[in-house]
Amino acid sequence: MANPLIRAQYLLSAHTPQQLPPDGGFEVAFAGRSNAGKSSALNAICQQNALARVSKTPGRTQQLVFFNIPPTTDRFLVDLPGYGYAKVPKDLQAHWQAFLDRYFRTREALKGLVVVMDIRHPLKEYDRQMLGYAVSRGLPAHAILTKADKLSRGAQGTALLEVRKLLQAEHGDAVSVQLFSGESKLGVDVARGVIGGWLEL
């Protein structure tokens, strides 16, 4: 099956609400801690080698990075910054928290959230916070357990069941979860299907 996301390209980076594109169409946001493999997951899903690194300029971690998907003009992937807030100055932390909070509360175009987690260290505080944002807004969320190739098949299954059980207890059926590996391409088609469905591609 053709992959419409293969055409994704860098559009802009927004550090303030005023810099966001017009609030229309369909957006899927990606969140993940800085070592969770978010860039690799985005690149694998879009079948591109360096999409998520195109805009790696200093300060990128404080921005929402938008990729549009030609030939459409109203379908976007949004890369949210991946870091723990402790590593940035307090005023920047406050700015970022307020910006992100407003984005999740008010952005009509946002249709779903993908949270990328290292399968060996899932559901850290940041992951739970991002899932909480989506669920409280009534948005679907999908957890991707990356680096699954680092574990044996048995350990993969155990980790998946454990995370699914925890998510079910906290959020009911609002959050789905899958195994993923950018290296072995495990689960790439599944993730692509979820995102394509939300974007109505």
Side-chain angles (χ1 to χ4, degrees), residues 97-139:
Q97 193 74 49
F99 183 17
L100 203 58
D101 185 59
R102 176 172 167 179
Y103 175 76
F104 271 98
R105 272 190 300 107
T106 65
R107 190 75 175 169
E108 292 295 323
L110 186 59
K111 304 303 180 193
L113 172 70
V114 175
V115 177
V116 179
M117 302 184 265
D118 185 327
I119 192 168
R120 299 161 301 178
H121 315 287
L123 291 173
K124 297 290 189 189
E125 185 182 348
Y126 172 86
D127 306 323
R128 291 175 187 271
Q129 180 184 15
M130 301 312 285
L131 290 169
Y133 271 133
V135 173
S136 64
R137 165 84 190 272
L139 288 169

Side-chain angles (χ1 to χ4, degrees), residues 51-64:
L51 177 72
R53 296 189 181 88
V54 169
S55 52
K56 269 255 196 286
T57 51
R60 173 178 177 274
T61 48
Q62 301 128 37
Q63 300 170 333
L64 272 69

Side-chain angles (χ1 to χ4, degrees), residues 12 48 54 61 63 72 74-75 77 88 113 115-116 127 141-142 147 155 158 166 171 173:
L12 60 84
Q48 297 191 37
V54 169
T61 48
Q63 300 170 333
T72 70
D74 62 351
R75 300 291 195 278
L77 300 176
V88 296
L113 172 70
V115 177
V116 179
D127 306 323
H142 186 63
K147 308 186 186 181
T158 302
L166 288 166
H171 303 298
D173 295 328

